[in-house]
């Protein structure tokens, strides 16, 4: 076993990774660099190149991943992508998941995840929820925070795999408790970054030096890794993606739906949902979430000062 290799169940086992997007690619790259025997698939094949250069094997299709890996990590955009990769609703589904452990790391609806867990278990597989908190920067640094849910044995089988990817892992209970925990984390993140963008917009409308505001915030008790990263983007007008507007809008919707399912008030989240939707409509869907300041500027230019 090479330095940094991951041992699963007493043996070095091939691990599958499907979905090499903004988050998935650096996560898979960290696993490959740690010596994990890795087989990867991504619909856009070129996304596999850095990971295969680090020692992973590229699969021709998702089925090949399941043929060779006992544990498969999925970092996919949405429910439809997960169903397509698993072949859900087709005869391929049972063949792919039987005897394997599926690790669903994307942010999807809690009810969807619970039903998927039931289907995987009924087909003879194991299912673990493992959504992560953090954007591209922490993913590249291997400093994500994972929330795990599922059968205890399956969770403990997966947990060591996340060492090269995550700074911390937390066991939350049965499915879908990890996703619900992720929703609570995302609610704070979304409202915090939106508030930060509004602070900088307020400052620019009053001709306050944005760089000075950044320094004041950084020196105070509210400073955090997120506030520092996003404040830097706002000062420089650099909206290179860490967490995209389109993805944040999707996550916002999922959290809002979960809140409504329990009758929980979410007024800040509802305002954020409107603002991220407006930012998307302005053409910034692929920009970082700090670009929500564009929606605030647009409201101001339309004379909506003081409106919510």
């Amino acid at each position: 076993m090479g330095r940094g290799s991951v041992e699963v169940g007493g043996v070095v086992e091939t691990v599958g990774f499907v979905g090499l997007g903004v988050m998935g690619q650096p996560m898979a790259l960290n696993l490959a660099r740690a010596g994990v025997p890795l087989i990867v698939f991504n619909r856009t094949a070129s996304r596999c190149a850095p990971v295969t250069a680090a020692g992973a094997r590229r699969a021709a299709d998702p089925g090949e991943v399941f043929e060779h890996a006992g544990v498969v990590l999925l970092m996919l955009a949405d429910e439809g992508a997960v169903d397509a990769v698993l072949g859900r609703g087709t005869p391929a589904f049972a063949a792919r998941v039987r005897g394997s452990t599926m690790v669903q790391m994307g942010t999807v609806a809690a009810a969807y995840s619970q039903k998927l867990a039931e289907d995987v278990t009924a087909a003879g597989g194991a299912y673990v929820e493992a959504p992560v908190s953090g954007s591209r920067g922490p993913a590249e640094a291997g400093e994500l925070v994972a929330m795990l849910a599922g059968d205890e044995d399956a969770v403990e089988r997966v947990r060591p795999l996340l060492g090269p990817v995550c700074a911390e892992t937390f066991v939350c209970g049965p499915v879908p408790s990890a996703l619900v925990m992720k929703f609570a984390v995302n609610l704070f993140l979304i409202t915090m970054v939106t508030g930060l963008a509004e602070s900088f917009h307020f400052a620019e409308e009053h001709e306050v030096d944005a760089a000075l505001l950044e320094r004041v915030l950084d020196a105070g008790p509210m400073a955090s890794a997120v506030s520092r990263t996003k404040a830097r983007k706002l000062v420089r007008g650099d909206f290179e993606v860490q967490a995209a507007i389109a993805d944040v809008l999707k996550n916002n919707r999922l959290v809002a739906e979960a809140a409504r399912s329990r009758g929980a008030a979410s007024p800040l989240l509802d305002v954020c949902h409107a603002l991220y939707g407006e930012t998307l409509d302005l053409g910034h869907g692929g920009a970082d979430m700090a670009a929500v300041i564009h929606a605030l500027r647009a409201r101001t230019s339309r004379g909506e000062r003081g409106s919510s």
Side-chain angles (χ1 to χ4, degrees), residues 246-259:
D247 292 333
V248 174
L249 180 60
K250 182 201 80 169
N251 290 341
N252 194 314
R253 174 182 56 79
L254 290 173
V255 181
E257 288 173 353

Side-chain angles (χ1 to χ4, degrees), residues 75-249:
M75 192 63 177
L76 297 162
D78 53 33
E79 293 91 337
V82 174
D83 286 348
V85 163
L86 295 179
R88 198 168 176 213
T90 75
F93 177 74
R96 289 183 181 180
V97 305
R98 187 182 298 116
S100 297
T101 300
M102 303 295 100
V103 186
Q104 205 301 106
M105 303 191 75
T107 306
V108 296
Y112 167 85
S113 184
Q114 190 158 22
K115 182 61 170 66
L116 179 58
E118 294 168 2
D119 291 350
V120 169
T121 302
Y127 181 84
V128 175
E129 270 182 357
V132 293
S133 177
S135 57
R136 188 177 69 180
E140 291 171 344
E143 295 177 351
L144 297 168
V145 175
M147 293 143 277
L148 306 177
D151 175 78
E152 184 177 349
D153 289 341
V155 167
E156 290 309 313
R157 185 182 190 213
V158 167
R159 201 170 187 176
L161 279 176
L162 302 181
V165 176
C166 298
E168 295 280 354
T169 58
F170 295 91
V171 177
C172 300
V175 175
S177 59
L179 274 166
V180 174
M181 182 67 75
K182 172 69 186 294
F183 292 163
V185 171
N186 276 4
L187 196 158
F188 178 51
L189 171 66
I190 292 167
T191 54
M192 177 176 61
V193 173
T194 307
L196 185 70
E198 186 167 333
S199 174
F200 274 86
H201 177 59
F202 174 89
E204 71 184 17
E205 288 297 310
H206 287 81
E207 300 179 355
V208 170
D209 183 349
L212 181 58
L213 173 60
E214 179 187 18
R215 289 167 54 201
V216 171
L217 290 172
D218 191 41
M222 297 176 293
S224 67
V226 171
S227 73
R228 291 185 178 107
T229 299
K230 303 307 182 187
R232 190 176 307 118
K233 286 183 170 296
L234 289 162
V235 170
R236 298 177 181 178
D238 165 25
F239 299 115
E240 182 181 0
V241 67
Q242 292 280 338
I245 288 289
D247 292 333
V248 174
L249 180 60

Side-chain angles (χ1 to χ4, degrees), residues 58-80:
R58 183 173 73 85
D61 54 54
E64 187 178 350
V65 175
F66 292 93
E67 287 174 15
H68 295 281
V71 177
V72 179
L73 282 61
L74 306 176
M75 192 63 177
L76 297 162
D78 53 33
E79 293 91 337

